[in-house]
Amino acid sequence: MKGEPAPPDWFTEGYAHIWMPYTQMKTSPPPQAVKSTEGCRILLEDGRELIDGIASWWSACHGYNHPHIVAAIKRQAEAMPHVMLAGLSNEPAFTLAARLAAMTPGDLNRVFFSESGSVSVEIAMKMAVQFWLNQGHEDRKKFIAFKDGYHGDTIGTMGVGDPDNIMHGPFSGLMPEQLVVELPRTEAEMAAFETFVAENAGICAGIIMEPLVQGAGGMIFHEAETVRFVREVCDRHDLLLILDEIMVGLGRLGSQFACTQAGVIPDLMTLSKSLTGGTMALAATIASERIFDAFYADELERCLMHGPTYTGNALACAAANASLDLFETEPRLEQVGRIAGHLAGALEPCRDVPGVVDVRVRGAIGVVELDALGDMYWIRGRFVEEGCWVRPFGNVVYLMPSFTIEDAELAQLTDATRKIVGEWSERHGA
Ligand SMILES: *Cc1c(COP(=O)(O)O)cnc(C)c1O
């Protein structure tokens, strides 16, 4: 294409007013203008197509515009987009609650809906603290969380994220201070962790972690043994375990939930990202019977005093029900296994490239870790030139595609990754 085509009017008019996420508006190149989506592709206003390597922030697990989800949203929009959930009920929200209770392990049977992952984590934290308050414990309001963890961008969730994260570090002092420690992997670390927990359990409501993969903190993996150990420590010291499955839940690691892979049942679980197949804003906080029982009483003040305006939104819940249908009718977990196999083979050669620190794959997540990303805009721009939408951050280049991605599309993503990592290495070394 010779010369840059003029962006559409909506872009020019709106770009002067919109505030983009995680973006230095002064130095960042302008965003791509998207016209529509189809399958695993993003179609741009200027006619180019990008293969989406990260499923729109890990949400579009069935690809875009899946007809089954689109039809469910249309039907629901015509019947009733939304009614408030206090004193009223709607079929999609109730059906979804029952389905999530049936799918999740153990007695995770009570589902509270909100509209974003961060909010669902805030609600889990509030439930955990009030669980203790309702039993007369006034001083169990802290959480133990892990370095490299990420649980959202709201003030409460920043407190349980990695304190050194560039997104959250500068805000220390704003958030309630939490106890953020290294994830215990070795025997020595486990012993030290248990000692730390024993000393602090009396002031804590629980422990929060992302099981098996820490996502936004750098795509860092840990073993099922670590998740099991944290569960055991919670049991020994009477702490609640919150597992944040917002990224890893619903198939991403090749099992319905990451916790089932580890054989662990949390007291509270959060889900969002791919819950509606990347179509509508929805999150769920799912509590065990034991948690719910502590709120179930004659006294009004023991109830959960929480209710986002759009909780149980019928449109979003209809989309989520349609998304869950697809997990039942299409071979999602098999597809994840196939993607994992391709990623492992195709990314492996990156290991020999100077400056590459690690190559790792778990489920449908492929990671090439670099010693330093350097010019982030250059590397992101190169992927676009190769017809791919991939958004490296921190020091990782990663792929997290839709489960429905075709073999040729996946190969284009991994070919581009090998090529660009090679070019990055030459620039970087020079
Ligand atoms: C994305 C994410 C969140 C936050 O979800 P939002 O919908 O962006 O608020 C929380 N926890 C984990 C593990 C996530 O990946």
Side-chain angles (χ1 to χ4, degrees):
M1 210 171 292
K2 287 275 172 269
E4 291 285 309
D9 289 348
W10 63 257
F11 184 94
T12 315
E13 283 160 23
Y15 194 46
H17 298 286
I18 200 155
W19 198 329
M20 303 291 283
Y22 298 131
T23 300
Q24 175 44 265
M25 298 291 293
K26 183 172 180 185
T27 58
S28 172
Q32 305 296 329
V34 178
K35 188 173 182 186
S36 59
T37 50
E38 202 179 295
C40 295
R41 288 163 190 262
I42 297 167
L43 315 183
L44 302 183
E45 286 277 7
D46 62 15
R48 288 175 298 160
E49 280 187 20
L50 304 177
I51 296 170
D52 190 347
I54 53 172
S56 271
W57 265 337
W58 329 335
S59 64
C61 57
H62 314 288
Y64 292 107
N65 312 30
H66 196 293
H68 183 67
I69 302 180
V70 172
I73 293 173
K74 280 187 181 162
R75 259 196 321 273
Q76 191 59 45
E78 281 173 8
M80 172 179 67
H82 179 73
V83 282
M84 64 182 284
L85 198 64
L88 300 175
S89 59
N90 70 80
E91 182 276 325
F94 275 45
T95 300
L96 182 60
R99 288 177 83 172
L100 289 173
M103 279 171 72
T104 46
D107 65 352
L108 288 165
N109 285 341
R110 283 287 167 173
V111 183
F112 194 101
F113 291 116
S114 53
E115 65 293 316
S116 88
S118 301
V119 174
S120 71
V121 171
E122 299 254 358
I123 292 167
M125 293 168 69
K126 199 165 160 182
M127 284 176 177
V129 167
Q130 197 179 341
F131 168 86
W132 294 114
L133 281 175
N134 282 355
Q135 297 171 84
H137 298 278
E138 297 282 334
D139 44 6
R140 300 191 65 166
K141 290 182 179 152
K142 296 270 173 215
F143 289 88
I144 294 169
F146 298 105
K147 297 243 172 83
D148 298 315
Y150 175 87
H151 300 285
D153 289 346
T154 56
I155 292 168
T157 59
M158 285 199 293
V160 286
D162 191 317
D164 298 328
N165 188 310
I166 69 153
M167 296 184 279
H168 303 157
F171 293 96
S172 75
L174 169 64
M175 298 86 88
E177 208 168 305
Q178 308 292 4
L179 309 169
V180 186
V181 298
E182 291 292 342
L183 200 57
R185 296 160 199 265
T186 65
E187 250 178 66
E189 287 167 351
M190 286 176 174
F193 178 71
E194 180 127 26
T195 307
F196 178 83
V197 172
E199 284 165 3
N200 292 283
I203 58 161
C204 290
I207 301 182
I208 179 165
M209 77 187 292
E210 296 161 270
L212 300 181
V213 180
Q214 295 177 303
M219 301 295 164
I220 302 166
F221 303 166
H222 56 266
E223 299 310 316
E225 193 192 355
T226 294
V227 187
R228 281 195 291 272
F229 176 70
V230 171
R231 172 76 269 183
E232 287 161 17
V233 169
C234 284
D235 292 341
R236 282 198 284 272
H237 301 279
D238 205 14
L239 290 173
L240 301 176
L241 177 62
I242 303 173
L243 289 184
D244 178 349
E245 295 241 5
I246 290 170
M247 182 186 84
V248 292
L250 299 168
R252 181 54 63 182
L253 302 185
S255 56
Q256 221 158 27
F257 302 103
C259 65
T260 43
Q261 230 175 89
V264 164
I265 302 169
D267 301 287
L268 289 152
M269 181 196 280
T270 56
L271 293 176
S272 185
K273 296 241 158 69
S274 55
L275 185 55
T276 64
T279 59
M280 302 279 304
L282 183 68
T285 307
I286 310 175
S288 68
E289 296 283 0
R290 178 181 171 221
I291 301 287
F292 183 74
D293 281 349
F295 292 74
Y296 195 74
D298 293 323
E299 304 83 14
L300 175 66
E301 61 274 18
R302 279 179 65 175
C303 83
L304 182 70
M305 278 296 175
H306 201 95
T309 306
Y310 283 96
T311 181
N313 177 254
L315 262 183
C317 291
N321 280 316
S323 175
L324 295 185
D325 292 344
L326 294 174
F327 277 100
E328 289 167 11
T329 57
E330 298 187 5
R332 291 290 173 265
L333 300 185
E334 260 171 66
Q335 289 167 327
V336 171
R338 191 174 50 78
I339 293 168
H342 177 98
L343 289 174
L347 296 179
E348 187 57 28
C350 293
R351 200 181 291 281
D352 300 326
V353 176
V356 170
V357 175
D358 190 28
V359 175
R360 54 183 179 268
V361 172
R362 186 166 284 179
I365 307 174
V367 183
V368 180
E369 183 176 332
L370 311 175
D371 55 11
L373 196 54
D375 187 349
M376 175 172 82
Y377 300 137
W378 174 83
I379 204 165
R380 289 178 187 173
R382 279 293 293 119
F383 274 103
V384 171
E385 285 168 7
E386 296 293 326
C388 300
W389 180 242
V390 177
R391 195 173 174 282
F393 70 90
N395 61 342
V396 297
V397 179
Y398 74 97
L399 299 174
M400 211 187 291
S402 304
F403 304 153
T404 52
I405 193 163
E406 287 168 15
D407 289 346
E409 293 172 326
L410 188 56
Q412 191 174 332
L413 288 171
T414 49
D415 288 354
T417 303
R418 282 197 311 272
K419 184 172 172 188
I420 293 166
V421 165
E423 292 172 10
W424 165 86
S425 177
E426 281 176 17
R427 278 170 63 100
H428 191 60

